[in-house]
């Protein structure tokens, strides 16, 4: 068998070829996109690539899978065209592009790939054409004809007016003195150009876009006898200044320049690295309130966070953005960078006014709106962009605004606006005290909260933390959104108004006239001490009407202290479960021993399928949920669960079976053949009720009452008379 497996594996390896046995080098993102474009174009013949063209422009892109199905680039619709893949050409009368492009020198290859303007300007210089036609190994990033045409007349005139210096130098800057293919073009690398060894910045993005000094690679890897040609969409120029130097020389960055100096970030922005600076202009700073600006500029930590929120960890050229993209700033915030046509957007806003200003250590995009991170905001400012504005207005009206705009370390528990859809409470002493208990005297993060933790409020209350499977709650109110952590305070968005505990469970019940019957019952059953002492209980509290609605028989049964205690314990869970912690179904163990089934459907909490009339009355040792019916524990568990034996009977049955197997004697049933279901039905009955049961013999051992009217079988422990009112007991005799 082992030999067969080895032979099969060898056969598969031979059938699949070398690629199956030896993993080749991983393809670059550009090569993967090109491969996908080739796959989409194969129906049109060999070496045909599908290309997406933005409608109304000449912009073309090799397509990846996502773009293929969306048919959009930067939100603009595209059409699919089919062209020869790089390095191939058509043959008259043949399908697709079966022929490889003729291999020639670099100069001739420029004409073959359509870079005729670059070829023309090369021809005008005295030295460059001989180099391109001669021996050697070069790479040229050749601007397309459209790239040359897009240059301003002033720039173009300066180049062609001095072809052997300015134009020659410009063309040499597009060249590298060795062959460099796309699989070597790594993200963030620099290449040394043939103009004064100046650096060329390369960025190779995960979406397959490759940029050269932020010019997009259109078609790559056109081989020549003496090098390789890559077609790009811009004429690139040398980079001389760092990000910091550009900030210092641009008048529009006057405020930014002062902020960078005050924060100490100038050292980083003039050093090595590859960053993207979303540089706020003077206009951007002027748009925010003077009070806010002065506060941030005067707070070194907030200022540093503000500036770091405008710096990305790597260089991001505009051409790399063809759809939405999440990027992380140095401050740690995630920004959504996208595009709409030719405009770049940040968090959905078209606030970039000038893009792709290259620096030696990255790229700058000018923005006209300040990106203030949460970490530089006050609680008031955090709430301004959240769905808690109604609560914030209440805090302000209650005279608590100074706590939310100052430098105290606090956590604000702010209910959602939807909580107040029926109106807001009047501002009085009670409301002020309630709102003070929504402010925790510490700056917290929800990820560090733990079950049973207590939090102190400005109002002097101790609030408890409850951690459930799918929710995190503070007393009766649960966190409804991610934290917003500000400069000094943290905002927790809560799903309801928090009600601090007011006394023990017994205090709550005694203080509410709806529970007078329940209170009397608790006292009669001797449970007062339980519900008064420290603990963690969930009480499903039946109202007076619930007790009055009981059938007379049930009311009579509650006169027994033992029965009453049993039923009341069934209404008490042994842990705190607030309504926000209830999922589809939670099984809560009661003090009686059985489990309560608590569920949530259509925002209504139910216990044993009975709806809760009022949830979450908080107590220092638990929570009270109001119900309008008395819950009945499963007294006859075997009858309700016909697939299970009661514990004692199950043990007897196991022992009897073991004895039977040991002696290899058969099991004989009585005349009606009592089965498992019938045995369960007999459990818990009085002798009088059990007369209908049949005899079950396991060898000579009787384990159920006799079926003879008025008679009980005698066991080894004594004789049970027929007038016994105690439930029938089962034992082996």
């Amino acid at each position: 068998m082992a030999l067969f497996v080895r032979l099969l594996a060898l056969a598969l390896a031979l059938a699949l070829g070398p690629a199956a046995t030896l993993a080749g080098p991983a393809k670059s993102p550009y090569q993967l996109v090109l491969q996908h474009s080739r796959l989409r174009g194969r129906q049109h013949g060999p070496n045909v690539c599908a290309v997406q063209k933005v409608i109304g422009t000449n912009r073309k892109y090799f397509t990846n899978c996502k773009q293929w199905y969306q048919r959009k680039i930067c939100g603009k619709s595209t059409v699919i065209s089919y062209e020869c893949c790089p390095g191939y050409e058509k043959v008259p009368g043949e399908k697709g592009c079966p022929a490889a492009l003729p291999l020639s020198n670099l100069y001739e290859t420029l004409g073959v790939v359509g870079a005729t303007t670059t070829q023309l300007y090369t021809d005008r210089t005295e030295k460059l054409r001989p180099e391109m036609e001669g021996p050697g190994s070069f790479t040229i990033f050749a601007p397309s004809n459209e790239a040359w045409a897009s240059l301003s007349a002033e720039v173009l005139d300066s180049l062609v007016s001095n072809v052997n210096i300015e134009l020659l130098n410009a063309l040499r800057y597009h060249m590298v003195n060795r062959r460099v293919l796309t699989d070597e073009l790594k993200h963030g690398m620099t290449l040394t150009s043939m103009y004064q060894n100046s650096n060329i910045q390369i960025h190779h993005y995960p979406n397959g876009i490759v940029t050269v000094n932020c010019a997009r690679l259109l078609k790559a890897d056109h081989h020549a006898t003496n090098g390789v040609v890559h077609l790009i969409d811009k004429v690139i120029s040398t980079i001389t200044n760092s990000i910091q130097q550009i900030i210092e020389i641009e008048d529009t960055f006057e405020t930014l320049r002062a902020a960078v100096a005050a924060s100490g970030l100038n050292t980083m922005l003039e050093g090595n690295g590859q960053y993207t600076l979303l540089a706020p202009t003077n206009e951007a700073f002027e748009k925010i309130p003077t009070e806010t600006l002065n506060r941030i500029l005067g707070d070194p930590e907030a200022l540093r966070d503000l500036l770091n929120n405008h710096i990305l960890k790597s260089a991001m050229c505009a051409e790399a953005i063809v759809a939405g993209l999440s990027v992380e700033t140095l401050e740690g915030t995630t920004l959504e960078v996208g595009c709409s046509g030719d405009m770049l957007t940040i968090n959905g806003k078209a606030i970039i006014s000038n893009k792709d200003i290259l620096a030696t250590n990255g790229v700058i995009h000018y923005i006209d709106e300040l990106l203030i991170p949460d970490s530089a905001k006050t609680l008031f400012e955090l709430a301004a962009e959240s769905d808690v504005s109604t609560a914030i207005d209440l805090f302000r009206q209650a005279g608590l605004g100074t706590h939310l705009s100052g430098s105290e370390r606090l956590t604000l528990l702010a209910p959602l606006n939807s909580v107040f859809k029926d109106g807001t409470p009047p501002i009085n002493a009670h409301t002020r005290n309630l709102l003070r208990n929504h402010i925790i005297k510490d700056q917290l993060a929800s990820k560090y909260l733990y079950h049973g933790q207590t939090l102190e409020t400005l109002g002097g209350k101790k609030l408890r933390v409850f951690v459930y499977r799918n929710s995190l709650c503070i007393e009766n109110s649960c966190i409804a959104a991610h934290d917003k952590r500000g400069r000094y305070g943290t905002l927790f968005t809560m799903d309801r108004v928090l009600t601090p505990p007011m006394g023990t469970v017994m205090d709550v019940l005694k203080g509410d006239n709806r529970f007078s019957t329940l209170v009397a019952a608790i006292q009669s059953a001797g449970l007062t001490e339980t519900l008064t002492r420290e603990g963690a209980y969930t009480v499903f509290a039946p109202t007076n009407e619930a007790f009055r609605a009981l059938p007379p028989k049930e009311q009579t049964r509650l006169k027994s202290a033992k029965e009453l205690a049993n039923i009341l314990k069934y209404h008490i869970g042994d842990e705190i479960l607030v309504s926000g912690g209830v999922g589809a179904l939670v099984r809560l163990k009661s003090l009686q021993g059985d489990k309560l089934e608590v569920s949530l459907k259509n925002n209504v909490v139910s216990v044993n399928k009975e709806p809760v009339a009022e949830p979450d009355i908080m107590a220092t040792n638990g929570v009270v949920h109001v119900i309008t019916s008395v819950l009945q524990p499963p007294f006859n568990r075997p009858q309700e669960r016909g697939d299970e034996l009661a514990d004692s009977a199950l043990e007897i049955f196991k022992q009897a079976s073991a004895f039977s197997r040991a002696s290899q004697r058969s099991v004989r049933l009585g005349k009606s053949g009592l089965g498992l279901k019938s045995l369960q039905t007999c459990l818990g009955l009085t002798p009088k009720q059990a007369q209908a049961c049949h005899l079950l013999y396991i060898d000579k051992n009787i384990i159920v009452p006799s079926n003879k009217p008025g008679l009980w079988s005698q066991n080894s422990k004594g004789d049970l008379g027929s007038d016994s009112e105690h439930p029938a007991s089962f034992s082996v005799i």
Side-chain angles (χ1 to χ4, degrees), residues 378-381 392 395 400-406 410 412 439:
T378 65
L379 281 170
F380 266 141
E381 292 164 350
I392 295 304
F395 283 106
L400 299 173
T402 54
H403 294 292
L404 307 187
S405 58
L410 302 171
L412 179 66
I439 303 175

Side-chain angles (χ1 to χ4, degrees), residues 80-127:
I80 303 295
S81 61
Y82 297 92
E83 303 177 356
C84 290
C85 295
Y88 295 90
E89 65 179 354
K90 291 181 177 293
V91 174
E94 296 287 336
K95 185 178 181 181
C97 305
L101 287 172
L103 200 63
S104 185
N105 59 53
L106 282 175
Y107 179 81
E108 297 294 336
T109 303
L110 288 174
V112 171
V113 302
T116 54
T117 304
T118 302
Q119 188 182 44
L120 174 65
Y121 286 146
T122 299
D123 211 14
R124 289 191 180 185
T125 64
E126 294 179 358
K127 299 180 180 179

Side-chain angles (χ1 to χ4, degrees), residues 12-13 30 35 152 250 261 267 291 297 356 386 407 411 418 469 479 497 529 577 592 669 675 678 709 711 714:
L12 286 171
Y30 172 83
Q35 180 180 356
S152 67
E250 289 291 333
T267 302
E291 181 183 353
L297 292 177
D356 289 345
S386 303
S407 58
T411 299
S418 57
R469 183 174 297 276
I479 297 176
V497 175
E529 183 181 351
L577 178 64
Q592 178 259 359
L669 296 177
S678 299
L711 294 178
Q714 184 176 13

Side-chain angles (χ1 to χ4, degrees), residues 288-298 372 376-378 381:
I288 67 171
T290 303
E291 181 183 353
T292 300
L293 179 60
N294 290 338
R295 177 183 61 80
I296 294 176
L297 292 177
I372 305 178
K377 294 178 180 178
T378 65
E381 292 164 350

Side-chain angles (χ1 to χ4, degrees), residues 446 479-485 491-493:
S446 61
I479 297 176
H482 292 296
D483 308 1
K484 282 184 170 291
R485 186 176 179 87
L491 175 68
F492 285 177
T493 301

